Amino acid sequence: MTHSWERPASFTLQNGLQVVVIVDHRTPVVTEMIWYKVGSADEKSGKSGLAHFLEHLMFKGTAIHPAGEFSQTVGRIGGNENAFTSLDYTAYFQRVPREQLARMMDFEADRMTGLILKDENVRPEREVVLEEFNMRVANNPDARLNEQIMAALYLNHPYGRPVIGWHQEIEKLDREDALAFYRRFYAPSNAILVIAGDVEPADIRPLVERNFGSIPAQPAIPARRVRPQEPEPAAPRTVTLADPRVEQPGLRRYYLVPSATTAAAGESAALDVLAQLMGSGSNSYLYRALVVDKPLAVSASASYSSISLDPTQFAISASPKSGVSFAEVEQVVDGVIADIAQNPIRAEDLERVKTQLIAEAIYAQDNQAVLARWYGGALTTGLSIEDIRSWPDRIRAVTAEEVRTVAQKWLEKKRSVTGYLIKDTGAAKREEKRS
């Protein structure tokens, strides 16, 4: 079977800017996304949260386009825009009527090197980020548990630091930090421009040349990002987070596993299939074992984050029913893993999950923004356009034996951190005593 999607056009400017054009003529709309190959894992130790802080500051304007003009223009023409930071990349996007693309590109090229930061802009924005930290992390027990698991999973690699940063380090970030980071990493040679929508590749090239062509490359940026790597995991770890706001106790286990970029041939696709088999939907092994067969949990799932420059996570989560202990749930989880590691997967199960995964990839073609995100995320973490396009073929090629092998090799207890989210009843009682 051939793919339903065409190969995106791709070219690279002299200054190193890689451009990917995904043609989609169904609506007169275009999505422009610029991806910088820098994320929180590229920050210096002690400066956590800097990549994300700079993402906020990128909206503060330039000499040509003062603060607010870019966003107001996008709003006025009925478009939408946003930005996001991850461990490995920072991306900015606008989705606008097709005829507005040239204008968007002018704005985006201008802020690649023209950002102007004044202390009176930087300080209030730092307060905004601290407020976001309070909302998204401090007041969210789920997010706090995730933060604690990641910090325990990565002993040496910067993925152990939260993208948003540690509170006491965010407080100290200043204008100089942001500008140094910006000058170091924001350059055409460290970026990928993805244009998806109602465009012709032949028209895009002159447009990109005109806007980005004269921006100098940044030769100081190394071709490969080299980070401290994890030692061979030696001991399973557990973390317990107690919070008075927890309504539903939760169990989460993360395993340190290879990403699509670091895996041996075929391994990443086998991990995709394994995650789907174990924990996606009501037919999955974990759901059947924990929610259907002996109802010990209200939910159960598994996922694998393949898009990552360095080793990534395979995650399992379950919410025990009232009165059910974590130990009972874990015993079943361990049993499901042992069963997969020891016995070949049933052919019909393997076919079902492969079909589901490939169908999801095909549905994703229906949304240009999803497609642009897919390519951007994969390309900034070391994959090629060919890797992205051949993914369905690699899924199709996964054998039952390969699934068994990855389960055996990577879902090993000592490669894991198990997190328990529990209600802190003591806090409520302590409050009562005080009052």
Side-chain angles (χ1 to χ4, degrees):
M1 170 190 157
T2 54
H3 303 321
S4 56
W5 63 90
E6 287 172 44
R7 185 190 180 85
S10 176
F11 58 89
T12 302
L13 301 193
Q14 211 116 36
N15 58 15
L17 178 69
Q18 186 185 354
V19 184
V20 176
V21 185
I22 301 162
V23 177
D24 171 14
H25 291 309
R26 287 170 305 177
T27 51
V29 173
V30 63
T31 300
E32 171 181 66
M33 281 190 128
I34 188 146
W35 297 71
Y36 290 97
K37 295 182 204 174
V38 59
S40 60
D42 303 297
E43 296 155 350
K44 278 199 190 94
S45 194
K47 300 280 181 194
S48 65
L50 191 47
H52 172 253
F53 185 39
L54 178 59
E55 175 223 302
H56 277 244
L57 295 172
M58 283 290 282
F59 292 85
K60 296 298 169 198
T62 64
I64 303 168
H65 300 296
E69 190 192 330
F70 195 170
S71 298
Q72 282 154 12
T73 306
V74 174
R76 202 167 50 240
I77 60 179
N80 58 35
E81 58 156 7
N82 215 329
F84 48 90
T85 306
S86 94
L87 298 162
D88 293 314
Y89 50 72
T90 312
Y92 303 83
F93 70 89
Q94 304 84 39
R95 195 179 162 146
V96 296
R98 174 188 58 199
E99 60 279 4
Q100 299 289 341
L101 176 62
R103 220 165 151 193
M104 293 301 106
M105 211 178 279
D106 168 58
F107 276 113
E108 203 58 272
D110 176 43
R111 73 171 168 181
M112 181 179 271
T113 53
L115 184 65
I116 290 179
L117 294 182
K118 303 187 182 87
D119 275 334
E120 63 261 31
N121 287 343
V122 173
R123 279 196 294 267
E125 202 55 47
R126 191 175 55 206
E127 293 310 309
V128 170
V129 173
L130 287 165
E131 191 42 49
E132 188 184 337
F133 177 93
N134 289 336
M135 257 169 50
R136 279 195 4 211
V137 185
N139 296 322
N140 179 341
D142 258 343
R144 298 263 345 244
L145 179 66
N146 180 55
E147 168 204 272
Q148 296 295 310
I149 293 175
M150 286 291 279
L153 187 65
Y154 291 97
L155 303 175
N156 196 44
H157 190 289
Y159 285 170
R161 285 198 300 257
V163 172
I164 197 164
W166 299 116
H167 194 279
Q168 81 276 14
E169 292 182 358
I170 303 169
E171 287 179 314
K172 295 196 177 81
L173 296 176
D174 61 22
R175 177 176 169 270
E176 294 315 310
D177 291 327
L179 279 175
F181 196 77
Y182 173 66
R183 292 191 184 120
R184 185 170 163 205
F185 292 111
Y186 278 54
S189 47
N190 204 36
I192 297 171
L193 179 67
V194 182
I195 305 290
D198 193 11
V199 293
E200 293 303 334
D203 303 334
I204 294 295
R205 186 161 194 153
L207 195 59
V208 176
E209 287 279 8
R210 192 166 73 237
N211 284 286
F212 288 94
S214 61
I215 303 173
Q218 172 71 282
I221 299 173
R224 281 190 64 240
R225 291 186 268 179
V226 180
R227 295 144 170 183
Q229 294 298 307
E230 281 303 293
E232 196 45 46
R237 283 141 277 165
T238 60
V239 296
T240 305
L241 185 80
D243 190 300
R245 289 164 295 206
V246 172
E247 292 306 319
Q248 169 69 53
L251 171 126
R252 248 179 248 160
R253 188 186 293 159
Y254 287 16
Y255 292 88
L256 184 69
V257 302
S259 66
T261 306
T262 62
E267 266 190 338
S268 180
L271 285 162
D272 272 318
V273 170
L274 177 62
Q276 187 80 8
L277 198 63
M278 278 177 67
S280 191
S282 55
N283 273 329
S284 66
Y285 293 178
L286 285 172
Y287 191 89
R288 283 206 300 238
L290 285 167
V291 183
V292 182
D293 297 350
K294 24 177 171 265
L296 296 174
V298 289
S299 65
S301 64
S303 62
Y304 164 57
S305 313
S306 65
I307 299 299
S308 177
L309 192 65
D310 290 316
T312 186
Q313 315 87 45
F314 187 103
I316 291 170
S317 72
S319 300
K321 285 193 139 175
S322 176
V324 175
S325 72
F326 288 129
E328 289 171 86
V329 172
E330 275 187 272
Q331 202 178 350
V332 175
V333 170
D334 291 339
V336 168
I337 295 169
D339 188 41
I340 295 172
Q342 282 150 22
N343 307 305
I345 305 292
R346 293 191 4 245
E348 59 268 39
D349 289 343
L350 191 62
E351 278 317 298
R352 185 187 75 245
V353 301
K354 284 186 190 183
T355 305
Q356 285 168 351
L357 283 167
I358 292 164
E360 277 170 28
I362 290 167
Y363 295 143
Q365 315 303 320
D366 264 357
N367 182 329
Q368 62 179 228
V370 169
L371 215 47
R373 273 188 100 131
W374 219 13
Y375 275 96
L379 292 168
T380 46
T381 55
L383 299 177
S384 68
I385 287 177
E386 216 20 75
D387 291 332
I388 302 160
R389 291 187 70 244
S390 61
W391 184 81
D393 293 338
R394 290 202 302 284
I395 293 294
R396 219 169 264 121
V398 171
T399 65
E401 189 48 41
E402 285 173 317
V403 175
R404 195 174 78 101
T405 306
V406 291
Q408 222 168 32
K409 184 174 175 186
W410 299 111
L411 301 195
E412 210 195 329
K413 256 307 186 23
K414 68 178 181 198
R415 304 191 62 83
S416 75
V417 175
T418 307
Y420 307 108
L421 187 62
I422 59 172
K423 189 171 184 70
D424 181 357
T425 47
K429 291 204 179 80
R430 286 193 296 277
E431 283 301 309
E432 274 168 34
K433 275 202 186 111
R434 275 195 208 117
S435 56

